[in-house]
Amino acid sequence: MANHHQQTSFTTSTDAAAEPVECLGLTFPNEEARRAYFTELLREKLQDPEFRQIEGFPIGTDEDILALSDPPYYTACPNPFLADFIEHHGKPYDPGQPYRREPFAVDVSEGKTDPIYKAHSYHTKVPHLAIVPSILHYTEPGDVVLDGFCGSGMTGVAAQWCGSAPQDYRRKVEAEFEKQGLGKPHWGVRRAVLNDLSPAATFITANYNLPFDVQEFARAGQQILDEVQQEIGWMYETRHVDGKTTGHIEYTVWSEVFTCPNCTGKVVFLDEALDVDTKRVRDAFPCPHCGSNLTKDNLQRVFETRPDPANGKPWKRVKYRPALITYTAGGKRQEKKPDADDLEILQRIEAMLLPVEIPTHRFPIEQMYHGSRIAPKGFSNTHHFFLPRAAHALAALWRKANAHPDARIQHMLLFSVEQAIWGMSVLNRYQPIQQGRPGGSQVNRQMTGVYYVASQIAECSPQYNLGGKLNRLGKAFETDVAAQGVAVVTVGTAAHLRLPDSCIDYIFTDPPFGENIYYADLNFLVESWHRVITDAMPEAIVDKFKQKGLPEYQRLMQRCFEEYCRVLKPGRWMTVVFHNSRNAVWNAIQEAMQVAGFVVADVRTLDKQQGSYRQVTSSAVKQDLVISAYKPNGGLEERFKQQAGTEPGVWDFVSTHLKQLPIFVAKDSKAELIVERQNYLLFDRMVAFHVQRGYPIPLSSPEFHAGLRQRFPERDGMYFLPEQVPEYDQRRLETQDMAQLELFVSDEKSAIQWVRRQLTEKPLTYQDLQPLYMKEAQRVWEKHEQPLELRTILEQNFVEESDGTWRIPDPKKESDLEQMRHRVLIKEFQQYLDAKGKLKVIRTEALRAGFKDCWQKKDYATILHMAKRVPEAVIQEDPALLMYADNAALMLGE
């Protein structure tokens, strides 16, 4: 048996480290000198108590943070060199420099099979190939791109790809730009500032975005695997069924032990439930002791108490037994049940001391959503998640990776080994490969997004888990284009970026959305190995175990967006990728962005059947969204302060906003309606711009619509600046028809839009409309919304002719109709005020009218009073109501 603490001896295969390097204006004889210089500066900074008080500072010792860092390009804590990076590489904001871009939608499904994308998994990722076109569209070479929720760092990879993408990819992007009527992109590297709250995420980001010697990495990785095989290979040897040949274990299946509810006999689940021939787990099977019919649901769990390998104290957990071994012998894959020799080897390993490399941190179970899944089974500390043999294998891999003399290669080796942490833990489920299904592997079979210990565990050998992965990593990074000094990585909250004002040229961000994924919890296992752990306090998430509901999530996101707005240059853009099916979360994001100072200019959803993005026409969120928003330029903000609450201020905002919107959008030779150019959405954006800044709204909806018609040319129901019309008219002539957007009736507002669409071509009678309306309106009407009869909608919004047909009102007379409808709505709102107790069903349009009326009167208390009396979903799922309620609370200091 080899000494299990044998050290690895490396020799480097390159002289690249000896070449002079330039960093932030300083020159060093080599990378090692550069790293030593900035590491010492970081060490001094870590000794400053105020520095460690920065919000989002990770949990870890100075030495562990330094070991994980590669300053100034990456620090596993708030990066104190960010301002230096911007000063050296950024371009100061110049208000005199012309800049104009229209919104651009990125296909987030693009590039998910690319080797670089697959080089390291993370809980959510937007592929770099999907981000490249967006960066090309909004920026120029040398510009600085920010991602404050960088995850695995794909935004940084995309920024570097803009300068090194292969010719075939460039031709593809250029063809798509030409098809969309955009100018030819300017290829060239962009620089990236990448931030995340998680040290695990930023470590992945840094290794994706900082250069390294790929050949040396591949050589060192193979050396580690070979040495681990020599050192602990005996742990993974088994005797072939012929009794002569030695086999090499790929994985051992451990099965949970249960008892029969009838005879209390022990039942090893896999032994009895698995059909050896078909590889199917049977739903029902006989008890091996009494023959009674058993299912997984009626079995009773068995616990055992054993010494905790970390401290020797009693440790109670569910009981497992090895049930199946898959191994190779004579070049063939074989299966067998564990024999006496196999059990003897496992007993020898279990008697060994727990390796010092294995972390023993206790999970924050009381504050974890997943705590209820793991604690009842006896898994409370990180070392509990590793069977003894896997613990020794991972410890050897980790120790040898840390022994490499070159810090950059060392980090890449850890980057590789950490990918086996989940797959070599008890979280790795055994999933039998059924007959007739080729391929298949037991590597990384853990349930994504959750801590779940299954009844069957596949304990993989290091060679089986990492052998192919190391080879694929080497090939993936052969064409890697990372360059030193292009990306800078930092750990901390996006609500406190240590960057100067107005220094960023573009933001691409994929933030956490509600309770979709519990990042801090899920990263805890890997971060325990690095011994630098996320401070979950400022994490923007909905999590009842951390006392964070939707309002807390919205406030946290608002702080992050406010910081984004502070560091982004005026007039520049932010792209937000949104993944959540809850309207309330979508509205919280919109509200947070608008309160922070951004103006939403375009929202598109991915049509997965057509593989393209379409504009959102209602608040219903069913698919991934791409949100394009801009920071108003300084000129508008300064002018608005002088004109706020006046009609000139309204039209100044509208003119500025129209400049930011796309002029023409087409797909499949059909022009698409640009919903942001329609009168009702322009009105909504104008109202939001005033409310978020605490000003009264100077125009009613009819007055605004009348002013639009007087001041701006209209085409196909959309409004343009005069100078934009020629381009629209020319491109409209080149298309066939106007594509119709889908519209679903879910409330009064969408019902009015639906009726208006029906009456666009010709007037219709009530009898013509009623059958169509009944079919449409009964489909998805919101449960808290007071359903309206078609006749009510017609009488309050449209005009009846003498022949009984209904038509869209004359724009010149629409104001009278709107005023009449407003009086009806305010009367209904007053009835809500006079009623007592909670209101279960309401007319949302009446609530909107009432809130707006109260805002104009500065009656903020009534807004908050009514917001508490209606179902929570009414406020959270309506962007206008949420906006008024939030801003009323701000005005009252609540």
Side-chain angles (χ1 to χ4, degrees):
M1 172 180 163
N3 180 350
H4 70 279
H5 283 293
Q6 175 184 327
Q7 293 298 310
T8 299
S9 176
F10 289 100
T11 57
T12 58
S13 61
T14 178
D15 316 307
E19 296 178 1
V21 295
E22 188 274 337
C23 179
L24 302 184
L26 302 175
T27 302
F28 300 91
N30 51 46
E31 283 289 355
E32 187 177 344
R34 181 271 304 170
R35 189 175 289 111
Y37 173 80
F38 284 103
T39 297
E40 194 56 37
L41 291 180
L42 180 59
R43 187 187 303 277
E44 293 173 9
K45 196 71 177 173
L46 286 168
Q47 293 168 3
D48 179 358
E50 288 188 15
F51 182 62
R52 277 189 161 270
Q53 292 303 311
I54 294 173
E55 185 181 22
F57 200 99
I59 302 162
T61 67
D62 289 4
E63 291 307 314
D64 287 327
I65 290 172
L66 289 167
L68 202 59
S69 302
D70 190 358
Y73 303 121
Y74 170 48
T75 62
C77 62
N79 195 325
F81 309 107
L82 288 184
D84 297 328
F85 181 87
I86 293 295
E87 182 180 358
H88 193 70
H89 295 297
K91 292 177 285 188
Y93 170 60
D94 180 3
Q97 183 178 359
Y99 176 88
R100 184 193 175 276
R101 298 291 192 279
E102 60 184 46
F104 184 87
V106 57
D107 182 351
V108 294
S109 65
E110 170 78 21
K112 289 191 175 182
T113 60
D114 185 83
I116 289 291
Y117 173 80
K118 295 168 68 176
H120 198 305
S121 61
Y122 195 63
H123 316 297
T124 57
K125 294 173 78 173
V126 177
H128 65 287
L129 294 180
I131 307 172
V132 171
S134 217
I135 294 177
L136 288 170
H137 174 73
Y138 287 112
T139 67
E140 295 294 330
D143 281 356
V144 180
V145 177
L146 167 67
D147 188 348
F149 298 92
C150 68
S152 61
M154 292 295 101
T155 299
V157 175
Q160 303 202 50
W161 251 66
C162 289
S164 56
Q167 289 301 318
D168 57 342
Y169 178 78
R170 295 189 183 209
R171 285 191 291 269
K172 176 184 174 183
V173 171
E174 288 172 2
E176 187 59 34
F177 271 47
E178 183 179 359
K179 183 179 177 182
Q180 294 186 32
L182 302 172
K184 188 175 181 179
H186 296 158
W187 297 93
V189 171
R190 278 70 167 168
R191 300 186 186 275
V193 176
L194 307 166
N195 172 83
D196 202 280
L197 191 64
S198 162
T202 56
F203 184 67
I204 300 171
T205 292
N207 283 294
Y208 261 126
N209 284 277
L210 303 183
F212 65 97
D213 185 330
V214 179
Q215 290 184 340
E216 171 59 20
F217 159 70
R219 190 193 66 79
Q222 188 57 54
Q223 181 180 344
I224 285 176
L225 274 182
D226 291 344
E227 290 189 3
V228 169
Q229 173 62 27
Q230 293 174 12
E231 186 175 314
I232 62 169
W234 62 272
M235 296 183 180
Y236 293 93
E237 290 180 355
T238 187
R239 192 183 302 278
H240 186 37
V241 289
D242 63 8
K244 301 176 182 178
T245 312
T246 298
H248 301 281
I249 295 174
E250 290 188 336
Y251 57 89
T252 300
V253 183
W254 293 72
S255 174
E256 188 173 353
V257 178
F258 296 93
T259 58
C260 171
N262 299 303
C263 69
T264 69
K266 294 287 194 301
V267 178
V268 179
F269 181 77
L270 199 71
D271 288 350
E272 310 306 326
L274 182 67
D275 187 311
V276 178
D277 295 326
T278 65
K279 295 298 180 186
R280 290 181 181 274
V281 176
R282 294 189 289 260
D283 293 331
F285 50 90
C287 171
H289 308 290
C290 67
S292 59
N293 194 49
L294 299 177
T295 66
K296 181 79 175 288
D297 293 336
N298 64 19
L299 289 170
Q300 296 176 350
R301 179 158 282 151
V302 174
F303 286 83
E304 63 178 353
T305 300
R306 54 171 56 208
D308 190 309
N311 53 31
K313 295 180 180 179
W315 170 35
K316 183 180 179 181
R317 66 154 218 206
V318 290
K319 186 173 184 177
Y320 286 90
R321 279 184 53 183
L324 184 69
I325 293 175
T326 295
Y327 64 99
T328 56
K332 295 183 179 180
R333 179 172 290 171
Q334 310 282 347
E335 279 188 359
K336 58 175 272 193
K337 288 186 178 295
D339 56 30
D341 289 340
D342 297 315
L343 298 177
E344 191 273 333
I345 289 175
L346 291 174
Q347 288 172 358
R348 284 172 57 195
I349 298 169
E350 191 164 351
M352 296 167 64
L353 295 175
L354 185 72
V356 295
E357 291 80 10
I358 302 296
T360 59
H361 299 71
R362 184 180 183 276
F363 275 78
I365 291 170
E366 296 78 12
Q367 296 181 320
M368 283 178 60
Y369 176 79
H370 303 124
S372 60
R373 289 177 175 267
I374 57 177
K377 294 184 179 181
F379 300 95
S380 59
N381 293 61
T382 50
H383 65 283
H384 292 165
F385 284 79
F386 303 97
L387 296 169
R389 178 167 52 188
H392 283 278
L394 270 174
L397 289 165
W398 199 259
R399 181 170 63 252
K400 291 175 181 298
N402 266 314
H404 198 283
D406 184 295
R408 186 67 197 90
I409 300 298
Q410 178 195 111
H411 283 176
M412 275 304 300
L413 292 171
L414 292 174
F415 171 88
S416 305
V417 173
E418 73 173 16
Q419 297 189 60
I421 290 174
W422 279 68
M424 290 182 67
S425 74
V426 295
L427 300 166
N428 196 52
R429 300 169 295 164
Y430 171 59
Q431 296 181 310
I433 302 166
Q434 297 176 4
Q435 280 187 350
R437 294 189 179 182
S441 163
Q442 299 303 324
V443 174
N444 294 335
R445 292 289 184 176
Q446 65 272 9
M447 189 179 291
T448 57
V450 65
Y451 286 107
Y452 173 69
V453 183
S455 295
Q456 298 89 46
I457 299 165
E459 181 209 1
C460 299
S461 73
Q463 183 66 44
Y464 181 73
N465 186 290
L466 282 175
K469 183 71 174 179
L470 276 169
N471 185 49
R472 289 191 297 274
L473 279 176
K475 291 182 178 178
F477 283 105
E478 277 178 353
T479 56
D480 185 35
V481 294
Q484 203 72 294
V486 173
V488 62
V489 187
T490 178
V491 173
T493 171
H496 188 77
L497 299 167
R498 297 165 64 82
L499 291 167
D501 294 349
S502 303
C503 67
I504 298 296
D505 297 290
Y506 171 58
I507 296 171
F508 186 98
T509 194
D510 179 16
F513 293 106
E515 67 272 63
N516 271 17
I517 295 175
Y518 302 90
Y519 291 91
D521 291 353
L522 292 172
N523 287 331
F524 187 87
L525 183 62
V526 171
E527 290 176 350
S528 295
W529 281 79
H530 291 295
R531 292 174 166 79
V532 183
I533 296 170
T534 299
D535 172 17
M537 186 68 69
E539 184 180 24
I541 194 171
V542 175
D543 187 345
K544 65 180 180 180
F545 289 89
K546 295 182 176 67
Q547 286 78 53
K548 292 180 182 179
L550 193 60
E552 288 78 17
Y553 165 76
Q554 182 178 320
R555 284 194 288 272
L556 286 164
M557 285 306 306
Q558 180 182 320
R559 290 185 57 218
C560 295
F561 283 128
E562 285 171 347
E563 186 72 345
Y564 274 168
C565 198
R566 180 185 70 80
V567 302
L568 186 64
K569 292 177 181 177
R572 297 302 184 110
W573 288 86
M574 173 176 69
T575 298
V576 182
V577 180
F578 176 90
H579 324 267
N580 195 296
S581 59
R582 288 184 59 196
N583 287 346
V585 176
W586 162 228
N587 290 331
I589 282 288
Q590 280 195 104
E591 176 66 8
M593 290 169 65
Q594 292 176 155
V595 170
F598 285 100
V599 179
V600 176
D602 191 63
V603 182
R604 290 176 182 260
T605 182
L606 176 61
D607 182 337
K608 293 183 178 177
Q609 291 183 340
Q610 298 295 323
S612 64
Y613 275 86
R614 298 193 180 279
Q615 293 170 90
V616 173
T617 55
S618 72
S619 61
V621 178
K622 296 181 177 66
Q623 303 175 78
D624 292 347
L625 300 180
V626 174
I627 308 154
S628 300
Y630 63 89
K631 174 181 177 178
N633 63 39
L636 172 63
E637 291 285 12
E638 289 303 315
R639 295 193 305 273
F640 193 76
K641 290 176 183 177
Q642 307 299 321
Q643 305 176 116
T646 68
E647 189 171 348
V650 168
W651 303 122
D652 189 5
F653 166 77
V654 173
S655 297
T656 305
H657 186 56
L658 288 174
K659 288 179 184 177
Q660 302 284 43
L661 303 180
I663 295 174
F664 189 86
V665 177
K667 180 173 176 59
D668 299 329
S669 300
K670 287 188 176 181
E672 289 194 355
L673 187 70
I674 302 167
V675 293
E676 287 285 341
R677 288 189 176 275
Q678 292 187 287
N679 55 10
Y680 75 95
L681 256 181
L682 289 170
F683 179 72
D684 287 349
R685 299 298 182 214
M686 180 276 293
V687 169
F689 196 78
H690 281 74
V691 172
Q692 306 297 6
R693 287 156 180 78
Y695 295 115
I697 303 151
L699 296 177
S700 67
S701 175
E703 291 169 338
F704 179 83
H705 293 163
L708 268 183
R709 290 190 295 272
Q710 293 169 8
R711 290 170 172 80
F712 302 98
E714 184 266 339
R715 296 289 189 276
D716 296 322
M718 300 175 286
Y719 290 87
F720 297 84
L721 296 173
E723 60 268 26
Q724 295 173 331
V725 169
E727 180 181 343
Y728 181 83
D729 288 345
Q730 177 61 40
R731 297 183 65 183
R732 182 71 174 86
L733 288 171
E734 298 169 359
T735 57
Q736 298 172 0
D737 301 306
M738 175 67 71
Q740 289 294 315
L741 296 175
E742 286 185 300
L743 179 61
F744 297 103
V745 174
S746 58
D747 56 14
E748 181 178 351
K749 189 173 184 179
S750 56
I752 295 169
Q753 288 179 280
W754 182 88
V755 173
R756 179 177 287 269
R757 179 178 291 183
Q758 308 309 309
L759 300 180
T760 298
E761 293 187 8
K762 63 176 182 178
L764 296 171
T765 65
Y766 176 84
Q767 289 74 18
D768 294 331
L769 285 166
Q770 177 68 359
L772 299 172
Y773 178 77
M774 290 298 293
K775 179 181 177 182
E776 192 68 31
Q778 289 180 356
R779 189 182 301 170
V780 285
W781 200 273
E782 299 288 354
K783 63 181 181 180
H784 57 255
E785 183 75 20
Q786 177 183 318
L788 288 186
E789 295 289 341
L790 174 62
R791 185 165 295 280
T792 302
I793 291 174
L794 290 169
E795 289 174 349
Q796 294 184 4
N797 300 277
F798 301 94
V799 176
E800 186 177 18
E801 299 286 13
S802 57
D803 61 358
T805 60
W806 291 87
R807 63 170 174 80
I808 297 173
D810 185 327
K812 295 179 182 178
K813 299 179 180 178
E814 195 170 2
S815 179
D816 293 339
L817 199 60
E818 178 69 22
Q819 288 175 10
M820 180 194 75
R821 180 171 182 270
H822 183 71
R823 287 194 294 270
V824 171
L825 293 174
I826 291 298
K827 183 178 180 181
E828 198 154 344
F829 179 74
Q830 187 60 48
Q831 292 173 355
Y832 295 158
L833 286 175
D834 296 340
K836 295 181 179 180
K838 287 271 190 180
L839 301 170
K840 294 182 178 179
V841 178
I842 50 92
R843 185 176 177 183
T844 302
E845 285 296 302
L847 212 57
R848 289 191 190 111
F851 277 23
K852 181 184 174 184
D853 196 52
C854 290
W855 180 266
Q856 298 294 81
K857 297 174 181 176
K858 299 185 178 181
D859 184 2
Y860 309 125
T862 297
I863 294 175
L864 291 185
H865 169 69
M866 283 302 302
K868 294 173 183 176
R869 291 184 55 209
V870 300
E872 187 178 14
V874 174
I875 304 298
Q876 290 183 345
E877 298 197 5
D878 186 276
L881 297 178
L882 183 64
M883 175 185 69
Y884 283 119
D886 276 355
N887 284 277
L890 286 173
M891 290 298 181
L892 294 176
E894 295 188 12

